[in-house]
Amino acid sequence: MDVNGLLTELYGRLPDLVRAAVDGLSPDELRWSPRPGANPVGWLVWHLTRIQDDHVADLLGEAQIWAGDGWAARFGRTADPHDTGYGHTPEQVAAVRPESAEALVDYYETVAARTAAFLAALSPADLDRVVDESWDPPVTLGVRLVSVAEDDLQHVGQAAYLRGLIRPS
């Protein structure tokens, strides 16, 4: 398997996991948390999508999808490209209010489609390109893509667990 196939397989598993985590949940269920200050399903899926959108847009040198087409309004947010959820206080977490499960899926699938196109065009040599020199060692494209996938997988797993608390099977 080549690098494109491997990364496409990894990222290609996420859309079904995102859909399964939110499918059929009401807006109130998307905002439910097991205790004050805990991250709800809606915030977790919004955040993992924001991180992928932010990081892949940066790698492409393009604007984030979040900044256009009214995405932010569907979550009760402004189109601030710096608002990814990183470092959110409990009050900021509670302020992320997805209008529906479909809004989360639609935003994720739009971001995932751009990511898939980006991954399909990569060569093995691209993975060694340094994309962030503020770390020691500097972060390569390959490391950044693994980091985004790892973050997304952790958060979608947390969302799936919470979904089980909301609607036990």
Side-chain angles (χ1 to χ4, degrees):
M1 178 180 285
D2 62 16
V3 69
N4 304 77
L6 179 66
L7 289 169
T8 298
E9 177 67 24
L10 174 61
Y11 278 85
R13 293 175 182 221
L14 285 160
D16 287 340
L17 297 172
V18 165
R19 277 189 294 281
V22 302
D23 184 48
L25 295 181
S26 70
D28 286 339
E29 290 170 320
L30 291 169
R31 293 189 288 267
W32 178 84
S33 65
R35 66 170 179 75
N39 298 329
V41 170
W43 183 90
L44 288 163
V45 172
W46 170 83
H47 170 65
L48 73 85
T49 308
R50 289 292 300 119
I51 293 300
Q52 189 176 140
D53 188 8
D54 172 73
H55 285 44
V56 173
D58 184 57
L59 295 171
L60 288 166
E62 296 178 0
Q64 295 175 27
I65 291 167
W66 178 252
D69 295 329
W71 288 110
R74 295 182 72 184
F75 295 88
R77 309 296 293 165
T78 61
D80 178 357
H82 302 292
D83 183 20
T84 63
Y86 183 77
H88 265 187
T89 66
E91 294 76 24
Q92 290 170 310
V93 169
V96 174
R97 304 182 64 77
E99 66 184 24
S100 64
E102 292 77 24
L104 288 159
V105 170
D106 291 349
Y107 177 42
Y108 184 79
E109 288 182 347
T110 302
V111 169
R114 179 173 64 180
T115 300
F118 174 65
L119 296 175
L122 289 178
S123 72
D126 292 330
L127 298 178
D128 293 327
R129 178 173 57 94
V130 172
V131 297
D132 188 346
E133 294 190 10
S134 67
W135 295 90
D136 186 17
V139 176
T140 63
L141 175 61
V143 168
R144 178 60 46 86
L145 290 171
V146 167
S147 175
V148 170
E150 181 254 347
D151 183 78
D152 282 3
L153 288 165
Q154 283 192 46
H155 285 88
V156 79
Q158 293 166 349
Y161 175 79
L162 282 176
R163 181 196 172 77
L165 295 176
I166 295 165
R167 291 199 182 176
S169 359

Short mmCIF file of all heavy atoms in Angstrom, two decimals, residues 35-60:
data_model
loop_
_atom_site.label_atom_id
_atom_site.label_comp_id
_atom_site.label_asym_id
_atom_site.label_seq_id
_atom_site.Cartn_x
_atom_site.Cartn_y
_atom_site.Cartn_z
N ARG A 35 -21.69 15.66 33.31
CA ARG A 35 -21.49 16.51 34.49
C ARG A 35 -21.12 17.90 33.99
O ARG A 35 -20.63 18.05 32.87
CB ARG A 35 -20.41 15.96 35.41
CG ARG A 35 -19.03 15.95 34.81
CD ARG A 35 -17.95 15.63 35.85
NE ARG A 35 -16.64 15.59 35.24
CZ ARG A 35 -15.95 16.66 34.86
NH1 ARG A 35 -16.41 17.87 35.03
NH2 ARG A 35 -14.75 16.53 34.32
N PRO A 36 -21.32 18.91 34.82
CA PRO A 36 -20.94 20.27 34.40
C PRO A 36 -19.45 20.34 34.04
O PRO A 36 -18.60 19.78 34.74
CB PRO A 36 -21.24 21.12 35.64
CG PRO A 36 -22.30 20.34 36.38
CD PRO A 36 -21.96 18.89 36.13
N GLY A 37 -19.18 20.98 32.93
CA GLY A 37 -17.80 21.15 32.47
C GLY A 37 -17.30 20.05 31.56
O GLY A 37 -16.24 20.17 30.96
N ALA A 38 -18.05 18.94 31.45
CA ALA A 38 -17.64 17.86 30.55
C ALA A 38 -18.07 18.21 29.13
O ALA A 38 -19.06 18.90 28.91
CB ALA A 38 -18.28 16.53 30.98
N ASN A 39 -17.32 17.75 28.16
CA ASN A 39 -17.60 18.05 26.76
C ASN A 39 -18.74 17.18 26.23
O ASN A 39 -18.67 15.96 26.32
CB ASN A 39 -16.35 17.83 25.90
CG ASN A 39 -15.22 18.74 26.30
OD1 ASN A 39 -15.43 19.85 26.75
ND2 ASN A 39 -13.99 18.26 26.13
N PRO A 40 -19.78 17.80 25.66
CA PRO A 40 -20.87 17.02 25.07
C PRO A 40 -20.52 16.50 23.68
O PRO A 40 -19.56 16.94 23.04
CB PRO A 40 -22.02 18.02 25.01
CG PRO A 40 -21.38 19.36 25.01
CD PRO A 40 -20.06 19.22 25.70
N VAL A 41 -21.36 15.58 23.19
CA VAL A 41 -21.17 14.97 21.88
C VAL A 41 -21.04 16.04 20.79
O VAL A 41 -20.13 15.99 19.96
CB VAL A 41 -22.34 14.01 21.53
CG1 VAL A 41 -22.27 13.57 20.08
CG2 VAL A 41 -22.34 12.81 22.46
N GLY A 42 -21.94 17.00 20.78
CA GLY A 42 -21.93 18.03 19.74
C GLY A 42 -20.64 18.82 19.73
O GLY A 42 -20.08 19.11 18.66
N TRP A 43 -20.15 19.18 20.92
CA TRP A 43 -18.90 19.93 20.98
C TRP A 43 -17.75 19.06 20.50
O TRP A 43 -16.88 19.53 19.75
CB TRP A 43 -18.62 20.45 22.39
CG TRP A 43 -17.38 21.29 22.44
CD1 TRP A 43 -17.30 22.63 22.26
CD2 TRP A 43 -16.03 20.84 22.64
NE1 TRP A 43 -16.00 23.06 22.34
CE2 TRP A 43 -15.19 21.96 22.57
CE3 TRP A 43 -15.45 19.60 22.86
CZ2 TRP A 43 -13.81 21.89 22.72
CZ3 TRP A 43 -14.06 19.52 23.01
CH2 TRP A 43 -13.27 20.67 22.94
N LEU A 44 -17.69 17.80 20.92
CA LEU A 44 -16.59 16.91 20.53
C LEU A 44 -16.49 16.76 19.01
O LEU A 44 -15.41 16.86 18.44
CB LEU A 44 -16.75 15.54 21.18
CG LEU A 44 -16.48 15.50 22.69
CD1 LEU A 44 -17.08 14.23 23.30
CD2 LEU A 44 -14.99 15.61 22.98
N VAL A 45 -17.64 16.56 18.36
CA VAL A 45 -17.63 16.38 16.91
C VAL A 45 -17.33 17.71 16.22
O VAL A 45 -16.58 17.76 15.24
CB VAL A 45 -18.95 15.74 16.43
CG1 VAL A 45 -19.02 15.72 14.90
CG2 VAL A 45 -19.07 14.32 16.99
N TRP A 46 -17.89 18.80 16.73
CA TRP A 46 -17.57 20.13 16.18
C TRP A 46 -16.07 20.39 16.29
O TRP A 46 -15.44 20.80 15.32
CB TRP A 46 -18.36 21.20 16.94
CG TRP A 46 -17.94 22.60 16.63
CD1 TRP A 46 -18.34 23.37 15.57
CD2 TRP A 46 -17.04 23.42 17.38
NE1 TRP A 46 -17.74 24.61 15.62
CE2 TRP A 46 -16.93 24.66 16.73
CE3 TRP A 46 -16.31 23.22 18.56
CZ2 TRP A 46 -16.13 25.69 17.20
CZ3 TRP A 46 -15.51 24.24 19.04
CH2 TRP A 46 -15.43 25.47 18.35
N HIS A 47 -15.49 20.12 17.46
CA HIS A 47 -14.08 20.39 17.70
C HIS A 47 -13.18 19.54 16.79
O HIS A 47 -12.23 20.06 16.19
CB HIS A 47 -13.76 20.14 19.17
CG HIS A 47 -12.30 20.13 19.49
ND1 HIS A 47 -11.51 21.25 19.38
CD2 HIS A 47 -11.50 19.14 19.95
CE1 HIS A 47 -10.27 20.95 19.75
NE2 HIS A 47 -10.23 19.68 20.08
N LEU A 48 -13.46 18.26 16.67
CA LEU A 48 -12.59 17.42 15.83
C LEU A 48 -12.66 17.89 14.38
O LEU A 48 -11.66 17.85 13.66
CB LEU A 48 -12.93 15.94 15.99
CG LEU A 48 -14.19 15.36 15.38
CD1 LEU A 48 -14.01 14.96 13.92
CD2 LEU A 48 -14.61 14.14 16.18
N THR A 49 -13.83 18.37 13.98
CA THR A 49 -13.97 18.88 12.61
C THR A 49 -13.24 20.20 12.46
O THR A 49 -12.58 20.44 11.44
CB THR A 49 -15.46 19.03 12.25
OG1 THR A 49 -16.13 17.80 12.52
CG2 THR A 49 -15.63 19.39 10.78
N ARG A 50 -13.33 21.06 13.47
CA ARG A 50 -12.64 22.34 13.42
C ARG A 50 -11.12 22.12 13.34
O ARG A 50 -10.44 22.83 12.60
CB ARG A 50 -12.98 23.18 14.66
CG ARG A 50 -14.39 23.72 14.68
CD ARG A 50 -14.64 24.77 13.59
NE ARG A 50 -13.74 25.90 13.77
CZ ARG A 50 -12.83 26.30 12.87
NH1 ARG A 50 -12.70 25.68 11.71
NH2 ARG A 50 -12.05 27.33 13.14
N ILE A 51 -10.60 21.17 14.10
CA ILE A 51 -9.15 20.91 14.08
C ILE A 51 -8.73 20.44 12.69
O ILE A 51 -7.75 20.93 12.13
CB ILE A 51 -8.75 19.90 15.17
CG1 ILE A 51 -8.95 20.52 16.56
CG2 ILE A 51 -7.32 19.41 14.98
CD1 ILE A 51 -8.12 21.78 16.84
N GLN A 52 -9.48 19.50 12.11
CA GLN A 52 -9.12 19.03 10.77
C GLN A 52 -9.23 20.16 9.75
O GLN A 52 -8.35 20.34 8.91
CB GLN A 52 -10.01 17.85 10.35
CG GLN A 52 -9.53 17.20 9.07
CD GLN A 52 -10.33 15.98 8.69
OE1 GLN A 52 -10.61 15.79 7.52
NE2 GLN A 52 -10.71 15.15 9.64
N ASP A 53 -10.30 20.94 9.84
CA ASP A 53 -10.49 22.07 8.93
C ASP A 53 -9.34 23.06 9.06
O ASP A 53 -8.73 23.47 8.06
CB ASP A 53 -11.83 22.73 9.24
CG ASP A 53 -12.26 23.81 8.24
OD1 ASP A 53 -11.61 23.99 7.19
OD2 ASP A 53 -13.27 24.47 8.53
N ASP A 54 -9.03 23.45 10.28
CA ASP A 54 -7.97 24.42 10.55
C ASP A 54 -6.61 23.93 10.04
O ASP A 54 -5.91 24.65 9.32
CB ASP A 54 -7.90 24.69 12.05
CG ASP A 54 -6.71 25.53 12.45
OD1 ASP A 54 -6.72 26.75 12.17
OD2 ASP A 54 -5.75 24.97 13.04
N HIS A 55 -6.25 22.72 10.39
CA HIS A 55 -4.92 22.22 10.06
C HIS A 55 -4.76 21.94 8.56
O HIS A 55 -3.72 22.26 7.98
CB HIS A 55 -4.61 20.98 10.88
CG HIS A 55 -4.28 21.27 12.31
ND1 HIS A 55 -4.98 22.15 13.10
CD2 HIS A 55 -3.31 20.78 13.11
CE1 HIS A 55 -4.46 22.20 14.30
NE2 HIS A 55 -3.43 21.37 14.34
N VAL A 56 -5.77 21.34 7.95
CA VAL A 56 -5.65 21.04 6.52
C VAL A 56 -5.69 22.32 5.70
O VAL A 56 -4.94 22.48 4.74
CB VAL A 56 -6.72 20.01 6.07
CG1 VAL A 56 -6.71 19.83 4.56
CG2 VAL A 56 -6.47 18.67 6.77
N ALA A 57 -6.53 23.28 6.10
CA ALA A 57 -6.54 24.58 5.40
C ALA A 57 -5.16 25.21 5.46
O ALA A 57 -4.67 25.75 4.45
CB ALA A 57 -7.58 25.51 6.02
N ASP A 58 -4.52 25.14 6.63
CA ASP A 58 -3.18 25.70 6.78
C ASP A 58 -2.19 24.98 5.86
O ASP A 58 -1.36 25.63 5.21
CB ASP A 58 -2.74 25.60 8.24
CG ASP A 58 -1.40 26.24 8.49
OD1 ASP A 58 -1.24 27.45 8.19
OD2 ASP A 58 -0.48 25.53 8.98
N LEU A 59 -2.28 23.66 5.81
CA LEU A 59 -1.37 22.89 4.95
C LEU A 59 -1.56 23.23 3.47
O LEU A 59 -0.60 23.23 2.70
CB LEU A 59 -1.58 21.39 5.16
CG LEU A 59 -1.22 20.86 6.55
CD1 LEU A 59 -1.68 19.42 6.71
CD2 LEU A 59 0.27 21.00 6.82
N LEU A 60 -2.80 23.54 3.11
CA LEU A 60 -3.10 23.89 1.72
C LEU A 60 -2.88 25.37 1.41
O LEU A 60 -2.88 25.77 0.25
CB LEU A 60 -4.57 23.56 1.41
CG LEU A 60 -4.91 22.08 1.29
CD1 LEU A 60 -6.42 21.87 1.34
CD2 LEU A 60 -4.32 21.51 0.01
#
